[in-house]
Amino acid sequence: MKLPLSIIATGKALPSERLLSSDLDARLGLQTGTVAKKSGIQWRYFASAEQTQSQLAAEALQDACQHHGIDTNSIDLLICASAIPEQVLPNTASAVIQAAGLKNGLAAFDVNASCISFMTALFQAAALLQTKVYRRIAIVSAEIASRGLNWDDAESSFIFGDGAAAVIVEAGDGIAACVAQRLEVHPVGRTFCQIKAGGTQRNPRMGLLETDHYFQMQGKPVFKLASQLLPAFIHNLFSDLPYTFHEVDWVVPHQASHLSMEHLKNRLGLDSQKIIDIYATHGNQVAASMPMALHELYRSGKTQSGQKVLLIGTAAGFAMGGMVLSL
């Protein structure tokens, strides 16, 4: 498989409030250093009550366009790739169009594959570019995870942060490409990470609890299942490529947690210098984590033509996603 795909711009947006782990210690009545020790986070960003996902997404997109001198009117399609929508209906993409002042009538839709939504949207964009119906596609991922945290659940409440990232892609000249992609869903782990409310099963008419609105995670079962599935998943992702995962230049993982990042490195024997790790200063930003890390890689100026990049992550469902890009 080779789908021509050129990343021509990236951007990011962070909320105004930077929250230190020591601030959370004080808020939760914990000994100083507790949150940092348990979560591995130095600080993360939380949105104010006035900020919305669509505003953050619009700021990230504007950052990408302004930094790279791109006219927003040249965008043919907008894909909003977030795990949690701004509201159930209509889609968040329509709100982003309005917040960013994009042209009226722009094609747009949402993609939701939980934490690997961006990677899923990127593959869809690569495929759609081949039709030549669209020539320039913007993908935005924005999350306000802080509003779905249950502060009585220490396992999950320490690790999340808010933010948005944007990536603009074209088919380019065909040298840069998506050369491998894999998506697996294993429903045996479907209930390990979930927010029960917000759909047709848990609502005021069907019945719900206040805690149904909060994120719930069973960390140990998630970790165990991911550990079991990862080796075969990586093998299958690279099975048709003339090189192994050890030979990629960069690894951009979903920034799930400090432990998951360490496990990925140790389990696969990866060089730490190749892994883009922004977790300590951003936390787990759900679907925005991967494009945020990719943005940091591109803005670092370290990328070169011909390099190989591995995107990899797990998500609620239980899903695993991987993609190999040739730059």
Side-chain angles (χ1 to χ4, degrees), residues 129-159:
L129 286 169
Q130 307 318 301
T131 68
K132 301 190 186 308
V133 173
Y134 306 109
R135 297 184 180 276
R136 180 170 287 177
I137 299 176
I139 304 169
V140 294
S141 295
E143 303 283 8
I144 303 182
S146 59
R147 293 183 187 164
L149 298 182
N150 182 352
W151 292 105
D152 293 327
D153 179 12
E155 181 180 25
S156 63
S157 62
F158 292 166
I159 67 176

Side-chain angles (χ1 to χ4, degrees), residues 6-327:
S6 179
I7 295 174
I8 65 169
T10 67
K12 67 182 271 188
L14 294 170
S16 54
E17 181 182 8
R18 190 179 79 160
L19 197 69
L20 299 175
S21 290
S22 58
D23 295 330
L24 281 180
D25 288 327
R27 179 183 295 186
L28 298 171
L30 300 173
Q31 183 178 354
T32 301
T34 300
V35 173
K37 181 179 180 180
K38 290 187 175 182
S39 70
I41 292 178
Q42 298 173 25
W43 63 79
R44 82 295 308 274
Y45 297 84
F46 278 2
S48 67
E50 294 75 28
Q51 290 177 305
T52 67
Q53 279 178 267
S54 55
Q55 289 170 349
L56 284 172
E59 289 173 17
L61 182 57
Q62 288 163 355
D63 177 45
C65 290
Q66 290 172 5
H67 187 84
H68 296 275
I70 293 174
D71 184 354
T72 57
N73 288 324
S74 68
I75 296 171
D76 303 313
L77 171 66
L78 173 74
I79 305 176
C80 183
S82 302
I84 303 299
E86 189 164 284
Q87 63 185 69
V88 174
L89 197 73
N91 62 21
T92 306
S94 61
V96 176
I97 291 175
Q98 185 176 43
L102 301 180
K103 61 187 178 185
N104 190 45
L106 178 66
F109 59 85
D110 284 9
V111 167
N112 184 350
S114 187
C115 294
I116 56 174
S117 295
F118 168 76
M119 192 193 318
T120 305
L122 188 61
F123 184 65
Q124 290 188 343
L128 286 169
L129 286 169
Q130 307 318 301
T131 68
K132 301 190 186 308
V133 173
Y134 306 109
R135 297 184 180 276
R136 180 170 287 177
I137 299 176
I139 304 169
V140 294
S141 295
E143 303 283 8
I144 303 182
S146 59
R147 293 183 187 164
L149 298 182
N150 182 352
W151 292 105
D152 293 327
D153 179 12
E155 181 180 25
S156 63
S157 62
F158 292 166
I159 67 176
F160 290 95
D162 303 339
V167 171
I168 302 175
V169 296
E170 294 178 344
D173 57 11
I175 296 175
C178 169
V179 296
Q181 186 271 351
R182 189 170 185 85
L183 172 64
E184 295 180 3
V185 176
H186 300 267
V188 65
R190 185 176 179 274
T191 61
F192 292 168
C193 297
Q194 60 181 331
I195 297 176
K196 295 181 179 180
T200 59
Q201 285 297 99
R202 299 289 180 98
N203 57 48
R205 178 163 294 171
M206 296 294 291
L208 77 166
L209 303 172
E210 181 180 348
T211 53
D212 290 340
H213 293 283
Y214 300 144
F215 176 74
Q216 301 172 29
M217 178 178 71
Q218 300 176 50
K220 290 183 179 179
V222 169
F223 189 82
K224 182 178 179 180
L225 183 57
S227 300
Q228 292 172 345
L229 297 173
L230 183 60
F233 180 85
I234 288 289
H235 172 77
N236 291 330
L237 177 63
F238 281 83
S239 61
D240 292 330
L241 296 178
Y243 48 84
T244 71
F245 62 87
H246 290 291
E247 298 174 81
V248 300
D249 298 284
W250 303 105
V251 180
V252 181
H254 167 50
Q255 314 283 304
S257 69
H258 175 66
L259 289 177
S260 71
M261 300 282 282
E262 285 296 310
H263 176 73
L264 177 69
K265 180 181 68 175
N266 296 331
R267 180 75 167 169
L268 299 180
L270 295 171
D271 182 353
S272 298
Q273 299 301 313
K274 293 182 176 182
I275 301 175
I276 308 304
D277 184 352
I278 62 170
Y279 174 76
T281 55
H282 291 75
N284 181 337
Q285 296 171 305
V286 202
S289 281
M290 193 174 291
M292 187 77 70
L294 188 65
H295 164 80
E296 296 297 337
L297 171 61
Y298 269 79
R299 288 285 178 96
S300 72
K302 296 178 180 179
T303 57
Q304 299 177 20
S305 178
Q307 288 184 333
K308 299 175 284 292
V309 179
L310 168 63
L311 308 180
I312 188 166
T314 60
F318 173 83
M320 301 187 74
M323 178 181 286
V324 182
L325 300 176
S326 176
L327 303 185

